[in-house]
C-alpha cells in the first residue's frame, strides 16, 4: 500500500464492486472506509519517510566531507615533517584535491538522489513548471474617473453600476445612480471632477436586495441563487424517463466533457467543456436546446503551454460557471478566468496561476453586485479573490490560513449584509463581500475538503468525509453540534425549513434537524453520489452518478415521491427554472418538463 497511489487502488475497486452486489452490507462499507484511510496514511507516510531519508543522506554526506577535511587538517599538523619537503607538499596538495573531488561528487550525488526520490507527488504538476513563472494577480487599485477628460472611463464606470436593472437576453438597460448623477452634474457645469472609489455606502443594501431579486428569477451559479442549493421556481416535474423520452422536452449533445453544472439567465443556458486541445464555453437556448454559440478560452497571457495533470473524476472543467445577466464567467484547471458577454464576445481574460491541486481545480465561481469571487485554495496556500466583473481587475484579495480545498463559496445574508462563507482544512470562515475582511473563523475541518457549506437561519453547516460535520452559529462563531456518522465526500449539504440533507459518496441520504443535529431518517440508495441535493418547489431532489434522480418530501419522516432515470450517467447538480429541470449527463444536456 505504501508504494501504490490510493486513488488507483485495485483492492478498493474490487471492494466497491462487491458493495454493488451487497449494498446493505454495513461491515463491508466499514471495511472500505478503513482500508481507504489506511491506504492513504501508508502512502503519504511512505513519501514522508523517503523525503526525510533523502535529506538525512544529503546532510550526512556534507558532514562526512567536512569531517574528513578537518581530520586531514589536524593530521597534517601533528605529523613529523619529512626531510623531503617537496614530496610532502605535493602529496598534501594531491590529498586535498582528492578530498574536494570526492566531497563534490558526494554532494552532487546526494542532491541528485534527493531530487530523484523525494517529491513523488510532483508528477501531478511536472508538466507545468511554467506555472511558477506566472505573474500574480494585479494589486488592488483605486479607479479615478476624470469627467470631461476621459469619457470612456466614465462609460465603464456606468456599466459597472447597472446591476440594479433586470437585463434582457440581448442587452442591459442603464440605471442612473447617485455616482452617475454626480458625474452628469460635473459635465453640465463644465467642471473637472474626480470620482474616487470609497467605502460601501448605505445604498449597498438596496443594491444587494435588487440584485438578489433578479437572481431569484434565474439560476445563475452552482446550486442556484447564492449557491445555497435553493431554487425559487415552482411546478417542477417529479416524473420522467430519459430512455423512453417521457417528459423529456429536448436533449442536445455536449461537444466537450466537463463536470460543471448548468447555469441559467433568461432564455440562455451556459456550461463548459475542456480537453487537452481547448477549453470552451457553450450557450444553449432554453426553448429548444439549440447551441447558440461556442467561445474558446485561448490566447490568455500567463496560461500554461501544456495542461496540468488531473484525475478522471475531476478533469479540466469541473468548476461551474456564473453569470450576472450581462456577462458569463468561467474558470478552468489551468487557472484561466474568462468573461464573455451574453452573445459570446470576449470581454476580458486573465490567468491566476495554475492551481497546484493533485486532483484538479473544481471550486466554482459566484458573482455578486459587480464582483466575481474566486476561492483559490491550493497546495501553495489559500486565498479568496474578488475581481471587478466588468474588467477582471482585482478588487481585493485576502490570504487565508487554509490548506487545499475543492469546495465553492456560498453567499449568506447576516443582519442585512452579505458575506462569503468558505470551507477548507482547517477553517470555516466568513468574508465581507465589499472589502474581503475576515469576519469570523472556526477551526473545525480536516482532510481534503470537497463539499461546500449549507446555510439557513443563521446556521452554517460544514462537513467532510473522514472528518466531521459541524453546525456553527454564524453570528457568535459558536459550535452548535457535531457528528461523524454520515459524511459527504463531494456532495454539498443543503438546509431548508429547519432540516439538513446530506448525501454520502457511497449512496446514503440522511435528514437531520438543523439546530440540534438529531437524525430523522436515512435512505441507502446503493449508488455512488457526487451531485448535491437541491430544494425545488418545496421538495428535495438528488441525482446519483448512474443518472437516477430521487425526489423526497421535506419532512421529518422519509417520504420518497419518485425515482426517475435519465438514461445515461450523470454526476453533476441539475438546474431548476420556470417549471423545468436542466440536467447535464455524460454526453447530453437535457430539459425535463411536464
Amino acid at each position: 500500500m505504501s508504494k501504490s497511489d490510493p486513488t488507483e487502488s485495485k483492492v478498493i475497486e474490487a471492494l466497491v464492486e462487491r458493495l454493488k452486489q451487497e449494498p446493505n452490507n454495513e461491515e463491508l462499507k466499514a471495511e472500505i472506509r478503513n482500508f481507504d484511510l489506511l491506504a492513504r496514511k501508508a502512502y503519504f507516510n511512505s513519501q514522508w519517510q523517503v523525503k526525510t531519508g533523502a535529506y538525512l543522506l544529503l546532510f550526512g554526506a556534507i558532514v562526512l566531507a567536512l569531517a574528513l577535511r578537518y581530520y586531514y587538517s589536524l593530521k597534517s599538523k601533528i605529523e613529523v615533517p619529512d626531510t623531503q619537503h617537496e614530496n610532502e607538499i605535493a602529496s598534501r596538495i594531491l590529498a586535498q584535491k582528492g578530498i574536494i573531488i570526492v566531497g563534490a561528487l558526494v554532494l552532487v550525488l546526494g542532491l541528485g538522489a534527493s531530487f530523484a526520490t523525494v517529491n513523488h507527488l510532483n508528477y501531478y504538476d511536472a508538466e507545468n513548471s511554467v506555472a511558477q513563472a506566472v505573474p500574480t494577480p494585479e494589486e488592488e487599485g483605486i479607479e479615478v474617473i476624470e469627467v470631461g477628460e476621459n469619457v470612456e472611463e466614465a462609460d465603464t464606470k456606468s456599466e459597472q453600476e447597472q446591476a440594479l436593472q433586470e437585463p434582457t437576453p440581448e442587452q442591459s438597460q442603464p440605471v442612473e445612480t447617485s455616482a452617475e448623477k454626480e458625474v452628469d452634474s460635473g459635465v453640465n457645469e463644465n467642471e473637472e471632477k474626480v470620482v474616487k472609489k470609497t467605502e460601501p455606502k448605505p445604498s449597498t443594501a438596496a443594491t444587494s436586495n435588487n440584485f438578489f431579486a433578479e437572481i431569484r428569477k434565474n439560476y445563475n451559479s452552482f446550486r442556484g441563487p447564492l449557491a445555497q442549493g435553493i431554487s425559487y421556481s415552482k411546478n417542477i416535474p417529479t416524473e420522467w424517463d430519459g430512455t423512453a423520452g417521457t417528459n423529456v422536452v429536448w436533449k442536445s449533445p455536449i461537444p466537450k466533457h466537463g463536470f460543471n453544472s448548468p447555469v441559467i439567465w433568461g432564455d440562455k443556458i451556459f456550461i463548459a467543456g475542456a480537453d487537452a486541445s481547448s477549453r470552451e464555453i457553450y450557450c444553449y437556448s432554453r426553448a429548444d436546446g439549440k447551441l447558440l454559440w461556442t467561445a474558446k478560452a485561448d490566447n490568455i497571457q500567463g496560461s500554461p503551454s501544456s495542461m496540468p495533470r488531473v484525475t478522471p473524476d475531476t478533469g479540466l472543467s469541473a468548476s461551474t460557471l456564473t453569470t450576472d445577466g450581462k456577462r458569463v464567467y468561467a474558470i478552468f484547471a489551468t487557472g484561466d478566468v474568462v468573461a464573455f458577454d451574453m452573445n459570446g464576445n470576449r470581454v476580458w481574460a486573465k490567468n491566476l496561476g495554475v492551481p497546484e491541486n493533485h486532483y484538479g481545480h473544481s471550486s466554482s465561481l459566484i458573482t455578486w453586485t459587480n464582483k466575481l469571487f474566486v476561492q483559490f485554495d491550493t497546495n501553495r496556500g489559500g486565498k479568496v479573490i474578488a475581481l471587478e466583473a466588468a474588467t477582471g481587475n482585482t478588487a481585493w484579495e485576502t490570504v487565508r490560513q487554509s490548506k487545499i480545498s475543492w469546495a465553492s463559496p456560498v453567499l449568506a445574508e447576516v443582519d442585512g449584509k452579505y458575506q462569503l462563507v468558505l470551507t477548507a482544512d482547517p477553517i470555516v470562515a466568513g468574508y465581507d463581500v465589499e472589502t474581503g475582511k475576515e469576519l469570523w473563523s472556526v477551526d473545525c475541518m480536516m482532510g481534503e475538503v470537497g463539499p461546500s457549506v449549507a446555510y439557513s437561519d443563521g446556521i452554517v453547516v460544514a462537513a467532510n468525509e473522514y472528518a466531521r460535520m459541524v453546525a456553527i452559529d454564524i453570528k457568535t462563531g459558536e459550535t452548535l453540534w457535531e457528528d461523524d456518522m454520515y459524511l459527504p465526500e463531494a456532495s454539498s449539504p443543503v438546509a431548508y425549513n429547519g432540516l439538513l440533507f446530506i448525501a454520502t459518496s457511497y449512496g446514503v441520504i440522511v435528514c437531520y434537524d438543523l439546530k440540534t443535529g438529531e437524525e430523522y431518517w436515512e435512505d441507502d440508495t446503493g449508488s455512488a453520489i457526487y451531485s448535491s441535493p437541491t430544494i425545488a418547489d418545496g421538495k428535495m431532489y438528488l441525482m446519483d452518478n448512474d443518472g437516477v434522480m430521487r425526489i423526497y418530501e421535506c419532512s421529518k419522516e422519509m417520504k420518497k415521491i419518485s425515482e426517475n432515470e435519465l438514461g445515461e450517467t450523470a454526476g453533476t447538480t441539475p438546474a431548476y427554472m420556470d417549471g423545468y429541470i436542466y440536467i447535464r449527463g455524460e454526453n447530453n444536456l437535457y430539459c425535463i418538463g411536464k
Side-chain angles (χ1 to χ4, degrees):
M1 288 189 293
S2 65
K3 297 180 180 179
S4 301
D5 190 332
T7 63
E8 300 176 355
S9 172
K10 299 299 182 181
V11 177
I12 292 181
E13 291 180 5
L15 290 173
V16 171
E17 290 299 323
R18 179 182 164 192
L19 182 60
K20 291 182 179 180
Q21 305 299 324
E22 306 174 40
N24 297 320
N25 190 334
E26 298 297 330
E27 293 182 356
L28 180 57
K29 294 177 183 178
E31 181 180 352
I32 293 175
R33 296 174 196 150
N34 292 335
F35 184 86
D36 181 57
L37 180 59
L38 180 61
R40 293 178 191 234
K41 287 183 177 180
Y43 180 71
F44 288 106
N45 282 341
S46 173
Q47 304 311 305
W48 176 85
Q49 291 169 353
V50 171
K51 180 178 180 180
T52 304
Y55 281 122
L56 288 174
L57 285 173
L58 176 60
F59 179 73
I62 295 173
V63 171
L64 176 62
L66 294 175
L68 288 173
R69 179 69 182 88
Y70 184 64
Y71 167 76
Y72 282 110
S73 67
L74 291 177
K75 185 177 180 180
S76 65
K77 292 179 182 179
I78 63 177
E79 286 181 347
V80 178
D82 195 279
T83 56
Q84 297 179 354
H85 297 287
E86 293 182 357
N87 292 338
E88 178 186 359
I89 294 174
S91 299
R92 186 180 301 173
I93 293 174
L94 182 62
Q96 289 176 346
K97 289 182 178 179
I99 292 173
I100 293 173
I101 293 173
V102 172
L105 181 61
V106 171
L107 179 61
V108 170
L109 290 175
L111 288 173
S114 67
F115 281 108
T117 62
V118 174
N119 296 319
H120 288 278
L121 296 182
N122 266 3
Y123 73 90
Y124 286 105
D125 204 31
E127 299 177 353
N128 298 291
S129 57
V130 67
Q132 299 180 3
V134 177
T136 59
E138 299 176 21
E139 297 293 328
E140 178 179 0
I142 297 180
E143 183 182 5
V144 179
I145 301 177
E146 297 184 0
V147 180
E149 292 186 3
N150 197 333
V151 178
E152 182 179 356
E153 290 188 11
D155 290 340
T156 302
K157 179 67 176 178
S158 299
E159 180 188 0
Q160 294 176 338
E161 304 247 3
Q162 291 177 8
L164 296 176
Q165 286 286 10
E166 176 181 359
T168 65
E170 300 298 328
Q171 63 182 7
S172 301
Q173 297 298 326
V175 176
E176 187 176 21
T177 64
S178 59
E180 290 172 321
K181 290 179 181 178
E182 184 176 0
V183 173
D184 292 339
S185 174
V187 174
N188 293 336
E189 296 173 7
N190 294 321
E191 296 177 356
E192 264 186 35
K193 290 189 176 182
V194 178
V195 181
K196 297 184 178 181
K197 291 174 66 176
T198 62
E199 293 299 316
K201 298 180 180 179
S203 60
T204 301
T207 301
S208 298
N209 290 337
N210 287 335
F211 186 63
F212 180 56
E214 291 304 315
I215 64 174
R216 277 176 62 108
K217 302 174 185 177
N218 297 280
Y219 205 89
N220 75 318
S221 60
F222 173 60
R223 300 203 298 155
L226 307 182
Q228 293 181 7
I230 308 293
S231 169
Y232 297 91
S233 296
K234 304 296 182 183
N235 301 317
I236 304 297
T238 58
E239 294 184 358
W240 65 88
D241 187 329
T243 303
T246 306
N247 286 338
V248 176
V249 179
W250 53 258
K251 76 172 183 178
S252 295
I254 303 172
K256 290 185 183 293
H257 179 71
F259 286 108
N260 54 84
S261 300
V263 298
I264 306 170
W265 195 282
D267 62 351
K268 294 179 178 179
I269 307 171
F270 303 97
I271 57 174
D275 55 24
S277 62
S278 65
R279 281 82 63 208
E280 299 177 345
I281 294 89
Y282 309 114
C283 176
Y284 291 84
S285 168
R286 276 214 306 135
D288 55 14
K290 180 181 178 181
L291 181 60
L292 300 178
W293 53 260
T294 298
K296 291 188 176 182
D298 56 5
N299 300 319
I300 301 173
Q301 184 177 5
S303 183
S305 58
S306 59
M307 293 301 98
R309 182 74 176 268
V310 295
T311 56
D313 55 355
T314 303
L316 296 167
S317 182
S319 304
T320 296
L321 294 71
T322 189
T323 177
D324 54 14
K326 293 185 289 186
R327 291 167 290 271
V328 59
Y329 312 89
I331 186 171
F332 297 92
T334 55
D336 294 327
V337 184
V338 291
F340 295 88
D341 66 20
M342 304 303 277
N343 295 317
N345 301 305
R346 183 184 293 189
V347 180
W348 56 263
K350 67 188 307 180
N351 183 270
L352 301 179
V354 178
E356 190 177 309
N357 297 349
H358 45 278
Y359 298 127
H361 186 73
S362 67
S363 295
S364 297
L365 301 174
I366 191 169
T367 184
W368 186 253
T369 59
N370 298 318
K371 289 185 178 66
L372 177 69
F373 300 104
V374 186
Q375 181 173 353
F376 212 68
D377 294 336
T378 74
N379 280 323
R380 297 178 181 174
K383 59 184 176 181
V384 55
I385 308 168
L387 304 177
E388 295 291 348
T391 64
N393 295 330
T394 301
W396 53 257
E397 179 178 309
T398 300
V399 176
R400 290 161 35 78
Q401 300 303 314
S402 63
K403 300 177 183 178
I404 192 169
S405 173
W406 291 266
S408 301
V410 173
L411 282 163
E413 182 184 7
V414 182
D415 295 331
K417 296 182 179 180
Y418 286 87
Q419 59 179 260
L420 281 176
V421 182
L422 278 61
T423 178
D425 177 10
I427 63 171
V428 180
Y431 301 85
D432 185 276
V433 295
E434 297 297 330
T435 66
K437 177 183 177 182
E438 185 177 276
L439 303 175
W440 58 270
S441 177
V442 177
D443 285 7
C444 59
M445 279 295 102
M446 64 183 70
E448 299 176 336
V449 180
S452 304
V453 302
Y455 176 74
S456 180
D457 299 328
I459 299 176
V460 169
V461 179
N464 188 45
E465 195 170 42
Y466 304 116
R468 60 173 65 95
M469 179 160 55
V470 182
I472 303 168
D473 187 323
I474 201 171
K475 294 183 179 180
T476 65
E478 176 188 0
T479 298
L480 301 179
W481 55 267
E482 296 186 19
D483 191 77
D484 60 1
M485 182 61 182
Y486 294 107
L487 299 170
E489 180 183 18
S491 176
S492 300
V494 64
Y496 177 74
N497 279 0
L499 301 175
L500 174 71
F501 299 94
I502 70 108
T504 69
S505 59
Y506 48 89
V508 178
I509 303 171
V510 191
C511 174
Y512 295 89
D513 185 281
L514 176 62
K515 295 183 179 180
T516 67
E518 177 186 356
E519 181 184 329
Y520 289 133
W521 55 263
E522 63 181 73
D523 184 20
D524 191 344
T525 67
S527 300
I529 298 176
Y530 286 174
S531 176
S532 299
T534 307
I535 306 300
D537 200 12
K539 307 174 186 68
M540 194 274 281
Y541 289 70
L542 181 58
M543 173 84 71
D544 68 24
N545 290 8
D546 294 327
V548 178
M549 176 84 84
R550 293 173 177 83
I551 307 171
Y552 301 83
E553 289 187 8
C554 292
S555 64
K556 296 181 180 180
E557 297 181 0
M558 192 190 79
K559 297 179 180 178
K560 186 183 297 184
I561 297 173
S562 63
E563 292 187 9
N564 305 280
E565 295 188 4
L566 185 63
E568 65 178 271
T569 58
T572 63
T573 302
Y576 306 78
M577 186 169 168
D578 295 340
Y580 296 94
I581 307 176
Y582 300 91
I583 305 172
R584 179 177 189 155
E586 178 73 16
N587 302 305
N588 297 283
L589 179 65
Y590 289 80
C591 174
I592 308 297
K594 298 179 181 178

